[in-house]
Amino acid sequence: MSSSFEYRRLDRNDAAVLLVDHQSGLCNIVGDFSPDDFKNNVLALADSAKYFQLPTILTTSFEDGPNGPLVPELKELFPEAPYIARPGQINAWDNDDFVNAVKATGKKQLIIAGVVTEVCVAFPALSAIEEGYEVFVIADASGTFNQTTRDAAWARMSAAGVQLMTWFGAAAELHRDWRNDIEGLGTLFSNHLPAYRNLISSYNAAKS
Amino acid sequence: MSSSFEYRRLDRNDAAVLLVDHQSGLCNIVGDFSPDDFKNNVLALADSAKYFQLPTILTTSFEDGPNGPLVPELKELFPEAPYIARPGQINAWDNDDFVNAVKATGKKQLIIAGVVTEVCVAFPALSAIEEGYEVFVIADASGTFNQTTRDAAWARMSAAGVQLMTWFGAAAELHRDWRNDIEGLGTLFSNHLPAYRNLISSYNAAKS
Amino acid sequence: MSSSFEYRRLDRNDAAVLLVDHQSGLCNIVGDFSPDDFKNNVLALADSAKYFQLPTILTTSFEDGPNGPLVPELKELFPEAPYIARPGQINAWDNDDFVNAVKATGKKQLIIAGVVTEVCVAFPALSAIEEGYEVFVIADASGTFNQTTRDAAWARMSAAGVQLMTWFGAAAELHRDWRNDIEGLGTLFSNHLPAYRNLISSYNAAKS
Amino acid sequence: MSSSFEYRRLDRNDAAVLLVDHQSGLCNIVGDFSPDDFKNNVLALADSAKYFQLPTILTTSFEDGPNGPLVPELKELFPEAPYIARPGQINAWDNDDFVNAVKATGKKQLIIAGVVTEVCVAFPALSAIEEGYEVFVIADASGTFNQTTRDAAWARMSAAGVQLMTWFGAAAELHRDWRNDIEGLGTLFSNHLPAYRNLISSYNAAKS
Amino acid sequence: MSSSFEYRRLDRNDAAVLLVDHQSGLCNIVGDFSPDDFKNNVLALADSAKYFQLPTILTTSFEDGPNGPLVPELKELFPEAPYIARPGQINAWDNDDFVNAVKATGKKQLIIAGVVTEVCVAFPALSAIEEGYEVFVIADASGTFNQTTRDAAWARMSAAGVQLMTWFGAAAELHRDWRNDIEGLGTLFSNHLPAYRNLISSYNAAKS
Amino acid sequence: MSSSFEYRRLDRNDAAVLLVDHQSGLCNIVGDFSPDDFKNNVLALADSAKYFQLPTILTTSFEDGPNGPLVPELKELFPEAPYIARPGQINAWDNDDFVNAVKATGKKQLIIAGVVTEVCVAFPALSAIEEGYEVFVIADASGTFNQTTRDAAWARMSAAGVQLMTWFGAAAELHRDWRNDIEGLGTLFSNHLPAYRNLISSYNAAKS
Amino acid sequence: MSSSFEYRRLDRNDAAVLLVDHQSGLCNIVGDFSPDDFKNNVLALADSAKYFQLPTILTTSFEDGPNGPLVPELKELFPEAPYIARPGQINAWDNDDFVNAVKATGKKQLIIAGVVTEVCVAFPALSAIEEGYEVFVIADASGTFNQTTRDAAWARMSAAGVQLMTWFGAAAELHRDWRNDIEGLGTLFSNHLPAYRNLISSYNAAKS
Amino acid sequence: MSSSFEYRRLDRNDAAVLLVDHQSGLCNIVGDFSPDDFKNNVLALADSAKYFQLPTILTTSFEDGPNGPLVPELKELFPEAPYIARPGQINAWDNDDFVNAVKATGKKQLIIAGVVTEVCVAFPALSAIEEGYEVFVIADASGTFNQTTRDAAWARMSAAGVQLMTWFGAAAELHRDWRNDIEGLGTLFSNHLPAYRNLISSYNAAKS
């Protein structure tokens, strides 16, 4: 048997994370997730990046205006990360500092999330695909106005070869094997999946 | 003008909180909220109870079985609270220790939430109404299987005179006036309303 | 404290179950539940009636026509139950045999479910309320064309004093205390609540 | 025939409008309407108040903080209206200036809308009902976090005797008869009901 | 046993039907039903009125303008019915000709449907309730802009004592007993319930 | 400019219609459309086939069993059409008579609809694609159990090159130009699009 | 790294806008958007076309009949634009005047929106793709009967290489960099994104 | 006519079934199906595998922890099946025993279902595609957190060439012809499609 399909699988040694415009103002115009779900998903992705020690790049658009500052949790999680406050470019890939920061990671897999999906995520995702990167958009850590806008954005990106994933799938694909660190991954899941935390609580109680 | 309606308004000096069966197993059969939303709502109610220093009573059903233990966050928040692990009574009001704990608070307003809505919440709510208490069910910190079950439970409780509220409305009604403690209430909201936290972040950034 | 509200609580010694027109043809025009959910809910109610040994009455409308026969599971569960194949009355309460069968139970609480909600359930429910019975409609074992029709039927019945419940709530209210029969109730739940069955499986595995 | 029901009908000579906390920050946490729908509904209510020359009162909560300023359109529409920037009271009815402004209108029917429904609308609505006012909440010009919160708020208000209406129903009830001013009402509808505007365009084109 | 509830049941000898403003323009602003569903429901109600020979009254609002003419099917079905083209009154009950036509029927039960629900249906429904009529609103033959508007309209009418029904429930309650005319009722259902027609087709095929 | 995409456009001279298993029993297990919508869509497609004089082939599966007979309207519309009552083949394309009937039409475009979508429609659609036909599935005249099943079926067919259309789009693409027959197409739309009929009624009334 | 994907990015120097059949009658049969949302999206696209000074072409189908006239706002916005009132062609691309107008723009990127999506938008979109144009359909300024019809239309267009976008994404991609005109783009967003306007209001208030 | 598309059709002689991680804990975090629907779908797939005598492989992840044991029904149905309790590999394809078991079947078509869709299903599906297998994911026997996660997982798998099917479609494609065993297939459908069982009951009753 032969196949023309190559499974481009997330590899913790070859992936970088780009967090685009998760700013307080913009997050409040996200309408395709409940605020609790969206906050959890974004922080879960961020904690995953941290946990897997992936090079992470932060960027913002006009943070000194209505878009608001980067949400404070992200700033605190990545104090050393490259932080590109773009002076005006809507597509982060149009900003040389940003592209240089991406290139400096030396990674060919890019994990992208941001606000809003069809602009701040889709534009650099398409640019990166064009340049030959493997692009994984974390769909549940990327928000936009409503379901219609999301559907159109997903269709455009998917047609271009972007792989749509969610934070949990990405973390699982990066980890490969529970035995690499059972407790670490368990903690990540416990912190961001209330249902999984409940499984752990029930299990521990029954065991004790 | 005259009115036969009396606005029974939550009063921090006359209210107690009953948290019924928020156990790890039972929480995983809740289907009318996303896990993130439900976890946040329950903890927001608990934090509100703490913040307003309302007497709080915890109770569980068969916690040494499939229902699982009380979710650990609630245990930690209320280490001194009466804790009634019911040996079998499904309606907590059928348990004398529970009713005595309620009576010991000396309050006539009862704020109730739990899992599942139509049983663990509705049964004691109806019993308490019958005994003359004013009952406020925190609808978004009470979960059940699905929307249909919820709708029926709400209709039954509402017809009995239960007031349906949500944690945010209860906190606002208890606080009465921001000037009583601007920072305290702001922190409560910031911790449990991501959209409100964003408003604060944007405001502070613009001010600075 | 005083209250004008009386909590009319299901009592296994004072309740009868009326299953109205759960016929194979009619069940296929139910559109407000998935077929799996509806089948499960109806059988869960029937198993509950059996488990609590409540007098149960079966009735059908025109079963020798397009409405089809009573679903076979119900026939098998209640081989001895009064079975009134109504010759034409749409409201079962207009059929003397049916009313006599109800009266013969000597119960004053009637648990009713059927197809379709706004007719086969609502009509006898309203008639029974008028005659002084306490009526509990099992909302999730009663189906109709769509959500709009359901909502209107619920509003009409609720306004008349019908208590809207679901099979799980009814079973819990009838049982009162797990200690009356832990294994029996657990089996009932395990058979009709896949999520609860999962809790049991996980618990037993952790314990073993 | 006799009836105990009195149809409390909106009367342009006896109604005042209370717009509570339609502030830019708070409006961005409304999740039970699309932003376009909500903006349109609020402005449609405001334009109706203007059109029917109803005394209108504006109030805000902490407008110098994260809640943000009153949305500018409302300020512009009612430059002469009483404007009560509440220093801290969450329930506007706890603010004497607000209640005095209401009383000064001399009206006994209060049309209320605001953000968020279960707090800024429900609290003064319940207070006003208690004082004997007839209260009409404009449900589609009042927003809150999500559908669950809305449902609970509506149930609480409805149980207290609040009449739930929408801006279009209120305008129609106030106007009574198209002949009072065909063009005026038509313009109001044309400006805020795109579908009605289309009917007019099609009609005029066919006529010409 | 005694009960304060009186089951006000539709009686073909005591009921009249009021069809309010089912005009071509207005029908196109209905958004809470699919066009196919709404058309079917309205015609099903009309056919029911015809079948049960209930006195039926037609009325329209401004039919020579954007609201458009009465939908032609209704005109054809009731060529002899009183037809009140209201010159301007929004509430049909404000029109003397309409009220006189209602009174001339000598019926005390009024079955009302129309477009839009919260105005053309709710206003005359509330007026009629106030005058002592028993009012049954056919909820699925009454349409409005969206689900939110519908929910508010239903809540207001229900609180006033209006009974919410759907066309199928009304037909069933009027008919009482299939034996009064099996073929007639079967034809009515076959024409307006595709699922029921399928049951008949399958039954006949199996029988043949 | 050049393009590798060829717009395979429905051509009334090169298209045949295959109606697969629209049987009374099977239609009652369709859950992804309301019964009114589905009936209308199927008949609209059938009327379109008739109107454009497209060769049409009817086929059924086990019509002498629970699946029930072909819905009578289709039989009546196409009395002369090839009618293949398949003795057992689930994929109609596995039946030689069916394939021969298709080939006998001499058309290379196949318009397919049926019940259920993922089987009776998808199987012959994929077989036909494999054989080089251009296949157009009429998605709204094809029904299945629920939205999930539909989504999976659409994805499988779309990936294979099936073009997903709806009856209205197909009729419009076949007609090409209103001037070919304004009244004929207008009648088709008026009969199956209540909203379009309303536009016509309003237009005619305004013109008169 | 290399890639076969070319990011075909909207370029204000190489794009034209085609607005197809946004007529008053047709807009009233759109059911996949709320009227407020749809009106806003269409006008937002139109304002964007104006703002970016893109050549814009208007076309209508049978505007002297039930379809109604072009919505007046579009006429006013583009008084000088080519305006092709098609005498009968359903696919605008079948009309030579229309194609010539497109060619006269000299642009190779076509931004298309219209009513209804699967016909008036999809047909010319597929024709243009076939002729080698890059086609961007503005999905939220294109409406149709319901979600099912929309989904099928999107799938067909997407498979053909059409890029699905929304007005906001298109505007952002055309603008490239906020510094090209901060105030202009801000005004466009403020006028058509109520949530963004609120961000601006809050920001300005906090700054002042 | 020619076609580049090959219809890769399920063949009972060339297919194996992989059931991945249907464990009691994991099943309780599934949120994109009702528990009744999901349980039914999984067991329907399992019964189909049994019925068609397809080689079936069971695997679990960490079954001695919070994930819980394999649901007991699957264990009982396949007592002889290869059972790979993976010690840590998240992607079952990373486990040699699992891959060897797959290879040992000698089949080239793999039918995969599991929990959660985007991990336990998608990872081995993509690996198997890469190795040249034909992969059919049973979408309704695979569950995950919510609809958003599901949509992203389906998009990723579909883009890789995975065929999305549901249990009913797979059973129908495997069976090919009812005449191979009418009673056997009928029983399978009767047990897992309540609506189909109703068709059979009605048919048998009418026939008798």
Side-chain angles (χ1 to χ4, degrees), chain F residues 25-37:
Chain F
L26 295 177
C27 284
N28 268 13
I29 58 177
V30 167
D32 59 336
F33 291 95
S34 86
D36 296 325
D37 281 343

Side-chain angles (χ1 to χ4, degrees), chain F residues 21-69:
Chain F
D21 302 353
H22 288 103
Q23 296 164 255
S24 59
L26 295 177
C27 284
N28 268 13
I29 58 177
V30 167
D32 59 336
F33 291 95
S34 86
D36 296 325
D37 281 343
F38 191 61
K39 178 183 174 184
N40 180 62
N41 293 342
V42 172
L43 296 185
L45 172 60
D47 280 353
S48 301
K50 197 85 185 174
Y51 173 68
F52 291 109
Q53 299 181 298
L54 305 182
T56 298
I57 298 170
L58 304 174
T59 182
T60 57
S61 166
F62 262 141
E63 63 181 38
D64 295 328
N67 293 351

Side-chain angles (χ1 to χ4, degrees), chain A residues 9-47:
Chain A
R9 188 175 179 174
L10 278 172
D11 181 334
R12 65 195 299 175
N13 298 314
D14 206 7
V17 175
L18 317 181
L19 300 178
V20 187
D21 302 353
H22 288 104
Q23 297 165 255
S24 59
L26 295 177
C27 284
N28 269 11
I29 60 177
V30 167
D32 58 336
F33 291 95
S34 86
D36 296 324
D37 281 343
F38 191 61
K39 177 182 174 185
N40 179 62
N41 294 342
V42 172
L43 297 184
L45 172 61
D47 280 354

Side-chain angles (χ1 to χ4, degrees), chain H residues 51-130:
Chain H
Y51 173 69
F52 293 108
Q53 299 181 297
L54 306 182
T56 298
I57 299 169
L58 304 174
T59 182
T60 56
S61 166
F62 262 141
E63 63 181 39
D64 294 328
N67 294 349
L70 189 68
V71 294
E73 292 88 345
L74 294 184
K75 259 188 199 147
E76 287 160 24
L77 266 172
F78 303 102
E80 310 294 329
Y83 185 108
I84 293 95
R86 306 194 310 279
Q89 301 94 344
I90 293 177
N91 180 349
W93 209 265
D94 287 343
N95 180 295
D96 289 342
D97 294 340
F98 182 79
V99 174
N100 289 336
V102 173
K103 288 185 176 162
T105 66
K107 309 301 185 189
K108 77 164 193 290
Q109 297 186 325
L110 302 182
I111 297 170
I112 309 180
V115 176
V116 297
T117 311
E118 77 278 22
V119 173
C120 309
V121 176
F123 293 179
L126 297 177
S127 292
I129 287 271
E130 190 176 34

